[in-house]
Amino acid sequence: MVLSPGPHEAYVTHTELGIRIPRPLGHGPSRFIPEKEILQVGSEDAQMHALFADSFAALGRLDNITLVMVFHPQYLESFLKTQHYLLQMDGPLPLHYRHYIGIMAAARHQCSYLVNLHVNDFLHVGGDPKWLNGLENAPQKLQNLGELNKVLAHRPWLITKEHIEVSSKGLLKAEEHSWSLAELVHAVVLLTHYHSLASFTFGCGISPEIHCDGGHTFRPPSVSNYCICDITNGNHSVDEMQVNSAGNVSVSDSFFEVEALMEKMRQLQECRDEEEASQEEMASRFEIEKRESMFVFSSDDEEVTPARDVSRHFEDTSYGYKDFSRHGMHVPTFRVQDYCWEDHGYSLVNRLYPDVGQLIDEKFHIAYNLTYNTMAMHKDVDTSMLRRAIWNYIHCMFGIRYDDYDYGEINQLLDRSFKVYIKTVVCTPEKVTKRMYDSFWRQFKHSEKVHVNLLLIEARMQAELLYALRAITRYMT
């Protein structure tokens, strides 16, 4: 197996032949994580090498997402298996439709990184280049998916069975534009997969691939080189890339933050053991946390105008994330006890698109249960309380409630800068900056921050799926 050069291998201009040869713009697969901390291709062990080989065989490339996810090989293996099945194995949708849906989903978050990758894949499997001029040039069947894509990406709690009816015009009828239930489930899984992957791409500061726009230059090396598309992808200045913008925080200050978090976890465990809140109190704490999540936003929050080359792949460019309780809107709480992934969503997906439910379920479980029993410099730590707080906070932001969880724990365990990062990655990933990434969990390793991102994207994907699959279930009944 021959792998293409890694981002750390410089290209030079071949002056003798007069050929301009591109070299990478930027250093390494992530703009947030120092290149020296990322596993270098060629230095991996046998397990990692097998993973790289699988990725290369499935995608025809070793992309930057893989090079960052490999911090967590068990998850990466599950992720690659699921993505390969969704894009390339037998399924209800033709291959070019799958890549086009990936483009539509990534474009909703202005994720040029994923759009560029899937434009190449779409053409490679025989997709019509005219479709890439804009959604209006794609078949009506795909255009009908636009509304579902929009709401699912930005306000999934608004999805009703009417959206399913609109998306599936003439469902199960022998019409050119109709969607079968199996096709629709395949499309929904692809949409949620790529919305979430856009969150990972921005949350980890993934750099453009060398063959894509913004991934290469023909200029000689210079300290001032950086990807021009960083500006549209949430990184607003060169200075921000070169300076640790977490501020002048001393090592001892961030050390005490870790100690304080450990102490809170101990105290909460003791409280759990001593007394349990009533159902009424638990419900009240959920409502308080849900309300408070509306007031979590970044101080440098700003509108990011989508670039034309991305925005042509979706309609209604002004539609974006809005908190569900703003402007007097009341969205009923989604109780997991009434419709959950394990008892309802999983079986629906597996019935209509066999084996995919199993793959997604495995990926959810790996992300949720993944632990090395470490926290920053501490070992032998039970991190389950912290992982559950992160997962449930994301679902809380989406209006999803677990009756058996005490939402008072979230405010104890997640500080404001961490909440800002979580909400931005999950709801408006295109606005993530290096400053946000640097400002939470300052003593934690980059591998731990990547682990956080795995929790964020899987919790987000599950939340979107729950709303969409509940609507499909209601439509079917």
Side-chain angles (χ1 to χ4, degrees):
M1 178 183 70
V2 180
L3 298 176
S4 55
H8 54 288
E9 298 178 43
Y11 287 72
V12 294
T13 303
H14 201 307
T15 49
E16 291 173 20
L17 298 176
I19 299 170
R20 298 167 74 222
I21 301 176
R23 61 174 190 79
L25 196 52
H27 305 282
S30 165
R31 298 185 300 274
F32 296 173
I33 304 169
E35 188 180 9
K36 66 180 184 296
E37 299 204 24
I38 290 175
L39 180 72
Q40 301 296 313
V41 176
S43 63
E44 71 273 12
D45 61 22
Q47 181 197 12
M48 303 282 196
H49 186 79
L51 276 175
F52 285 162
D54 289 345
S55 176
F56 194 80
L59 302 170
R61 59 180 177 262
L62 194 56
D63 62 22
N64 288 340
I65 286 176
T66 299
L67 291 173
V68 172
M69 274 190 187
V70 82
F71 273 122
H72 304 287
Q74 187 190 4
Y75 175 86
L76 176 61
E77 185 177 9
S78 176
F79 171 85
L80 290 173
K81 208 188 316 178
T82 305
Q83 184 164 265
H84 176 65
Y85 199 95
L86 287 173
L87 292 176
Q88 292 173 296
M89 300 297 282
D90 287 345
L93 293 173
L95 298 185
H96 63 304
Y97 265 50
R98 303 180 197 192
H99 290 293
Y100 196 81
I101 291 168
I103 292 168
M104 289 173 65
R108 276 278 19 146
H109 282 307
Q110 302 154 44
C111 188
S112 52
Y113 175 89
L114 290 173
V115 169
N116 285 335
L117 288 185
H118 285 282
V119 161
N120 291 333
D121 292 339
F122 172 76
L123 294 172
H124 182 70
V125 296
D128 185 345
K130 289 199 286 287
W131 297 10
L132 301 174
N133 293 330
L135 185 58
E136 67 278 6
N137 296 291
Q140 186 62 46
K141 181 170 179 171
L142 283 165
Q143 292 183 45
N144 291 346
L145 206 58
E147 182 73 13
L148 186 62
N149 178 29
K150 176 178 88 171
V151 182
L152 201 54
H154 303 299
R155 308 173 201 174
W157 48 86
L158 296 181
I159 288 178
T160 63
K161 69 176 186 177
E162 283 71 36
H163 286 102
I164 303 305
E165 288 169 351
V166 170
S167 304
S168 55
K169 288 176 180 174
L171 191 72
L172 300 179
K173 295 177 184 173
E175 294 178 11
E176 184 188 352
H177 308 317
S178 66
W179 288 82
S180 71
L181 279 170
E183 287 175 327
L184 196 58
V185 165
H186 193 171
V188 162
V189 172
L190 282 167
L191 289 173
T192 59
H193 176 80
Y194 281 103
H195 294 157
S196 301
L197 199 52
S199 284
F200 185 85
T201 301
F202 287 119
C204 291
I206 301 294
S207 301
E209 304 296 330
I210 185 169
H211 64 282
C212 293
D213 289 344
H216 59 267
T217 181
F218 295 103
R219 293 197 304 273
S222 158
V223 291
S224 63
N225 280 341
Y226 74 104
C227 170
I228 196 67
C229 67
D230 285 347
I231 296 167
T232 56
N233 283 0
N235 294 291
H236 305 298
S237 73
V238 188
D239 295 339
E240 187 179 72
M241 297 182 64
Q242 296 168 344
V243 178
N244 181 342
S245 20
N248 301 317
V249 181
S250 70
V251 173
S252 60
D253 283 350
S254 48
F255 173 80
F256 286 125
E257 286 176 2
V258 180
E259 297 303 307
L261 181 54
M262 295 275 291
E263 181 55 32
K264 282 176 184 170
M265 288 167 64
R266 277 192 289 271
Q267 290 172 359
L268 284 171
Q269 189 58 55
E270 286 171 11
C271 290
R272 270 186 188 176
D273 296 341
E274 288 171 13
E275 58 176 320
E276 195 173 303
S278 66
Q279 277 300 311
E280 293 76 15
E281 179 61 25
M282 301 265 259
S284 170
R285 289 175 187 175
F286 169 79
E287 292 300 328
I288 291 168
E289 190 56 53
K290 189 171 78 165
R291 209 161 44 243
E292 284 186 1
S293 74
M294 290 193 307
F295 302 104
V296 172
F297 53 87
S298 166
S299 56
D300 52 0
D301 199 18
E302 59 183 69
E303 289 301 314
V304 181
T305 307
R308 159 68 190 153
D309 63 329
V310 173
S311 65
R312 65 171 175 254
H313 299 299
F314 63 91
E315 302 163 315
D316 195 359
T317 55
S318 63
Y319 190 94
Y321 173 79
K322 287 278 187 296
D323 290 306
F324 45 74
S325 298
R326 290 268 164 94
H327 311 302
M329 284 183 59
H330 177 68
V331 177
T333 293
F334 185 131
R335 295 176 70 252
V336 168
Q337 280 66 21
D338 299 332
Y339 195 96
C340 69
W341 167 255
E342 290 79 8
D343 297 337
H344 307 95
Y346 168 82
S347 56
L348 178 62
V349 172
N350 245 20
R351 188 163 87 245
L352 293 169
Y353 186 9
D355 297 330
V356 164
Q358 180 67 42
L359 289 167
I360 295 171
D361 187 61
E362 179 185 284
K363 190 160 60 76
F364 286 155
H365 278 284
I366 288 173
Y368 187 87
N369 295 313
L370 187 66
T371 183
Y372 306 96
N373 299 112
T374 60
M375 271 180 62
M377 69 293 292
H378 295 280
K379 295 180 179 176
D380 301 318
V381 182
D382 180 356
T383 61
S384 55
M385 180 185 288
L386 191 53
R387 285 181 279 120
R388 190 176 185 192
I390 294 168
W391 186 281
N392 286 5
Y393 179 59
I394 294 157
H395 281 194
C396 177
M397 289 192 301
F398 283 83
I400 297 171
R401 181 187 166 216
Y402 295 81
D403 283 352
D404 62 346
Y405 182 69
D406 180 356
Y407 286 84
E409 292 188 4
I410 289 173
N411 268 342
Q412 297 287 314
L413 298 174
L414 314 183
D415 64 24
R416 193 185 183 301
S417 61
F418 193 16
K419 282 184 171 182
V420 166
Y421 178 78
I422 291 173
K423 186 173 182 180
T424 309
V425 170
V426 170
C427 302
T428 52
E430 59 278 8
K431 296 181 181 179
V432 175
T433 64
K434 187 173 187 296
R435 183 182 294 111
M436 291 180 196
Y437 177 89
D438 288 338
S439 67
F440 84 91
W441 280 13
R442 287 169 289 201
Q443 274 293 104
F444 285 72
K445 302 182 190 78
H446 288 288
S447 61
E448 291 172 308
K449 292 193 172 193
V450 172
H451 184 184
V452 165
N453 274 283
L454 301 182
L455 279 170
L456 304 192
I457 66 171
E458 294 302 336
R460 175 188 178 169
M461 182 174 177
Q462 190 178 98
E464 284 191 27
L465 276 176
L466 284 174
Y467 279 110
L469 296 173
R470 184 179 68 168
I472 290 173
T473 300
R474 287 175 173 174
Y475 174 78
M476 289 167 65
T477 54

